[in-house]
Amino acid sequence: MNRLFSVILLIILAFPLMAQEISIIPKPAEMAVQNGQFKLDKNCTLKFDENNKDAARIAAFFNDYLDNLYGFKLSNNASENAVSLKIISSLDMGQEAYLLKVNKDGVVITASNPAGLFYGLQSLKQLLPVEAENGSLTIPCIDIKDKPRFAWRGNMLDVGRHYFPVSFIKKYIDILAMYKINTFHWHLTEDQGWRIEIKKYPLLTEISHWRDETLLGHFRSGQEKDGIGYGGFYTQDQCREIVRYAAERYITVVPEIEMPGHSSAALAAYPNLGCTGGPYKVQETWGVHKDVYCAGKDETFNFLKNVLDEVLDIFPSEFIHIGGDECPKDAWEQCDACQKRITDNGLENEHELQSWFITQIDHYLSSKGRRLIGWDEILEGGLAPEATVMSWRGTKGGIEAAKQKHDVVMSPNSHMYIDYYQSKNKDDEPLAIGGFLPVEKVYSYEPVPEELNADEVKHILGVQTNLWTEYVATTKKAEYMLLPRLQAQAEVGWTPKAEKDYADFSKRLENDYLRLTKLGINYRDHRKE
């Protein structure tokens, strides 16, 4: 009887911790749960340096979050129970590192940099219960010491195939920020639509943003179209607003302007930039199209440099993505100007011509103090001197680039392409491009290839998921395809390898779903797999 009583007592004592499990995503590097709880309510104080604009903004974010979800804000009423936000620049911490301590008297988040303070706040928000009880929020006492594993934790959204309004782009950025994603790769130009205003070339937003109709169903199953015109673009002011909005959430926006392939939309407006002079059209179907910029004409490079000048004025990011993928060489093979370019520069073939093309853009961006990044096809024919590679066709391109001492972002379609199906039974899922990528497979990815030595590993900047939108026409579906695979990628990019555990992550997701529902964010329940 005494033994049974002891077991029951242990269960009772453990219940408070069981009732509110720690569900932070991505999982912190170091975390220790302590005894006790702190109750947060409207009578608590929010302490921060009011002369520090970053701290003040982060504090406002927290109050807005409390108000939106729980109906109260914290004030500066000098209560002993407080949430304190501290930026101490003299501390020896990384730019994105933070300390979070919860005891019975309050919460303290400390960082040496505003980004770290912001990430500490994201963890605090995930420590809060989804529902308040009698107007208060019970937070378990805990010590967290946290920093990211990788510097580049990115996500790409394609708006070329389908356009999304500014309001959704902001919501999308908010979702990325929740999971400590720090890079928003914005794919702005495509065969099916040019989405950014370029003042020097007004036809890009008169002609190139608009296609006359769109393919119905999957591109492998037929060519029936909907007969409905489709378009949209972002003004330069709207782009600047997105850049500002993201920066306030410590996210860098990296724009992508595709070249030399995926250029049908631009050529529809400026056919002189193609090898044949056209006519060209904004494409209405998906896949790879043979309309590419002419590599033999100087006016092509004048156009692209002028476009990039305006892009650089809008986007202060270190990296500028130039695509470089899926560039058919058919037109170049038949083009006298391109063949002359090959001969004049002692190039061996059209693959080396593409490398020469990318190198011209690489030199131009370098002269402006920026860095070129492109998909792994830019390796073909020789890699431009300062180029960074985004490895998407598996990991081979990333390994090759790192061995050549070039920086790499790992983004293999096998694990990071979130336009793939989320179930083996495709009939249970909305239309997708193909493939099968469940949450567990995303989570299983290891960005550092075994083939690299210690010096080469330093060139692995991080990891990125990509949401291509051929079959993602609505904001609700975009969220469905994004979540929860984004959470899995976030943990791959942030959490130490030794701390990863899929069973534990899966359990934390269940609580995260409750929060997402309350925030009005759509997602796919991974338990359906």
Side-chain angles (χ1 to χ4, degrees):
M1 179 66 72
N2 289 338
R3 183 177 180 183
L4 177 61
F5 177 81
S6 298
V7 171
I8 293 173
L9 180 61
L10 285 172
I11 293 173
I12 292 172
L13 291 173
F15 182 79
L17 288 179
M18 294 168 60
Q20 188 175 342
E21 297 174 348
I22 307 303
S23 299
I24 299 173
I25 299 174
K27 184 180 179 181
E30 299 179 35
M31 182 171 59
V33 179
Q34 309 295 344
N35 293 325
Q37 299 170 326
F38 169 66
K39 288 191 178 294
L40 179 70
D41 59 30
K42 64 181 181 181
N43 297 314
C44 294
T45 298
L46 182 57
K47 295 181 178 179
F48 59 94
D49 181 356
E50 296 183 4
N51 294 319
N52 186 307
K53 293 181 180 179
D54 292 295
R57 183 175 62 250
I58 293 168
F61 283 154
F62 186 49
N63 255 339
D64 288 343
Y65 183 83
L66 292 175
D67 192 29
N68 291 335
L69 263 70
Y70 305 106
F72 70 86
K73 290 186 176 184
L74 306 183
S75 64
N76 56 354
N77 58 12
S79 166
E80 291 185 2
N81 297 325
V83 174
S84 299
L85 307 178
K86 298 180 179 181
I87 299 175
I88 305 175
S89 57
S90 60
L91 290 177
D92 185 17
M93 300 172 67
Q95 284 199 337
E96 297 180 306
Y98 68 91
L99 304 173
L100 192 162
K101 184 176 183 64
V102 181
N103 59 33
K104 295 179 181 179
D105 298 319
V107 178
V108 179
I109 303 175
T110 307
S112 61
N113 187 279
L117 188 67
F118 181 80
Y119 293 138
L121 178 63
Q122 305 317 305
S123 293
L124 174 60
K125 285 157 58 175
Q126 293 187 40
L127 285 172
L128 302 178
V130 176
E131 300 294 340
E133 184 175 351
N134 298 321
S136 68
L137 304 167
T138 301
I139 309 173
C141 292
I142 192 168
D143 289 335
I144 294 174
K145 183 178 181 181
D146 203 8
K147 65 179 181 179
R149 182 182 178 197
F150 293 103
W152 185 299
R153 304 178 306 281
N155 173 268
M156 187 280 298
L157 177 64
D158 164 26
V159 297
R161 277 54 176 253
H162 282 100
Y163 169 87
F164 298 96
V166 169
S167 59
F168 178 71
I169 300 298
K170 289 182 176 181
K171 182 180 182 182
Y172 196 91
I173 287 169
D174 284 335
I175 294 171
L176 301 185
M178 287 169 57
Y179 302 106
K180 305 182 178 74
I181 300 298
N182 67 358
T183 304
F184 173 50
H185 172 179
W186 203 6
H187 186 85
L188 287 163
T189 71
E190 254 306 334
D191 289 307
Q192 296 82 13
W194 183 284
R195 305 293 179 213
I196 180 172
E197 176 190 26
I198 301 297
K199 294 185 183 298
K200 191 175 182 66
Y201 300 105
L203 295 183
L204 292 172
T205 43
E206 292 179 23
I207 295 173
S208 301
H209 84 98
W210 185 265
R211 59 179 180 260
D212 291 336
E213 52 187 347
T214 301
L215 182 73
L216 288 172
H218 200 281
F219 81 97
R220 292 194 181 96
S221 61
Q223 294 297 308
E224 183 182 358
K225 299 170 187 174
D226 62 9
I228 302 171
Y230 184 94
F233 66 89
Y234 305 96
T235 67
Q236 293 195 0
D237 285 344
Q238 288 175 323
C239 290
R240 288 189 175 92
E241 171 62 16
I242 292 299
V243 169
R244 181 200 63 78
Y245 190 88
E248 289 181 346
R249 289 149 182 82
Y250 303 93
I251 292 175
T252 298
V253 182
V254 174
E256 181 176 353
I257 307 297
E258 274 275 10
M259 60 184 83
H262 290 285
S263 304
S264 298
L267 295 178
Y270 296 96
N272 56 301
L273 302 177
C275 291
T276 68
Y280 303 101
K281 69 174 183 177
V282 181
Q283 296 294 339
E284 300 154 357
T285 59
W286 318 127
V288 177
H289 299 275
K290 295 182 179 181
D291 302 333
V292 303
Y293 291 119
C294 180
K297 295 179 179 178
D298 291 341
E299 60 187 310
T300 296
F301 296 94
N302 292 335
F303 168 82
L304 291 172
K305 290 174 182 178
N306 288 332
V307 167
L308 287 172
D309 282 344
E310 296 193 31
V311 169
L312 298 181
D313 188 58
I314 298 167
F315 298 93
S317 57
E318 177 185 8
F319 288 95
I320 302 295
H321 207 298
I322 55 81
D325 62 313
E326 298 177 330
C327 178
K329 310 299 191 294
D330 306 59
W332 290 357
E333 292 170 358
Q334 304 300 319
C335 174
D336 290 342
C338 289
Q339 293 305 308
K340 185 176 187 301
R341 186 81 78 184
I342 289 174
T343 301
D344 290 349
N345 289 276
L347 307 176
E348 185 172 329
N349 53 35
E350 287 74 22
H351 290 295
E352 289 195 3
L353 179 60
Q354 176 167 329
S355 176
W356 181 89
F357 188 115
I358 299 299
T359 298
Q360 308 314 301
I361 303 301
D362 182 32
H363 288 331
Y364 190 73
L365 289 174
S366 295
S367 74
K368 301 290 184 177
R370 306 299 185 92
R371 296 178 64 185
L372 180 150
I373 184 169
W375 303 107
D376 57 53
E377 283 93 334
I378 66 174
L379 282 156
E380 297 169 3
L383 191 55
E386 303 299 325
T388 296
V389 170
M390 188 166 279
S391 187
W392 77 274
R393 296 178 299 177
T395 60
K396 182 180 178 181
I399 293 168
E400 182 180 344
K403 285 184 175 295
Q404 294 181 32
K405 310 301 182 185
H406 285 261
D407 288 342
V408 176
V409 175
M410 300 302 287
S411 189
N413 57 350
S414 58
H415 292 76
M416 294 288 126
Y417 268 44
I418 56 175
D419 56 334
Y420 287 8
Y421 283 101
Q422 301 184 70
S423 171
K424 288 182 179 178
N425 185 355
K426 296 178 181 178
D427 292 337
D428 291 340
E429 290 289 302
L431 182 65
I433 197 166
F436 170 49
L437 184 59
V439 175
E440 186 171 5
K441 187 171 183 180
V442 177
Y443 193 84
S444 72
Y445 182 59
E446 170 49 46
V448 177
E450 294 179 355
E451 294 89 336
L452 302 182
N453 63 37
D455 287 335
E456 293 162 350
V457 164
K458 295 175 184 177
H459 290 285
I460 305 297
L461 300 182
V463 64
Q464 177 172 296
T465 45
N466 301 312
L467 181 52
W468 301 102
T469 63
E470 289 94 332
Y471 305 101
V472 182
T474 67
T475 59
K476 187 175 181 180
K477 186 172 180 181
E479 293 174 14
Y480 180 89
M481 300 301 283
L482 181 69
L483 303 165
R485 291 182 288 192
L486 179 77
Q487 290 101 307
Q489 178 231 335
E491 196 142 309
V492 170
W494 183 282
T495 304
K497 182 179 178 180
E499 294 299 317
K500 288 177 59 189
D501 182 305
Y502 181 72
D504 174 63
F505 169 77
S506 181
K507 195 171 184 179
R508 281 179 280 128
L509 267 184
E510 295 179 20
N511 190 64
D512 202 43
Y513 291 156
L514 302 176
R515 185 178 298 104
L516 290 174
T517 298
K518 188 161 187 175
L519 289 167
I521 299 172
N522 194 31
Y523 60 90
R524 184 190 188 278
D525 192 327
H526 74 292
R527 292 168 292 189
K528 295 179 181 178
E529 293 171 8

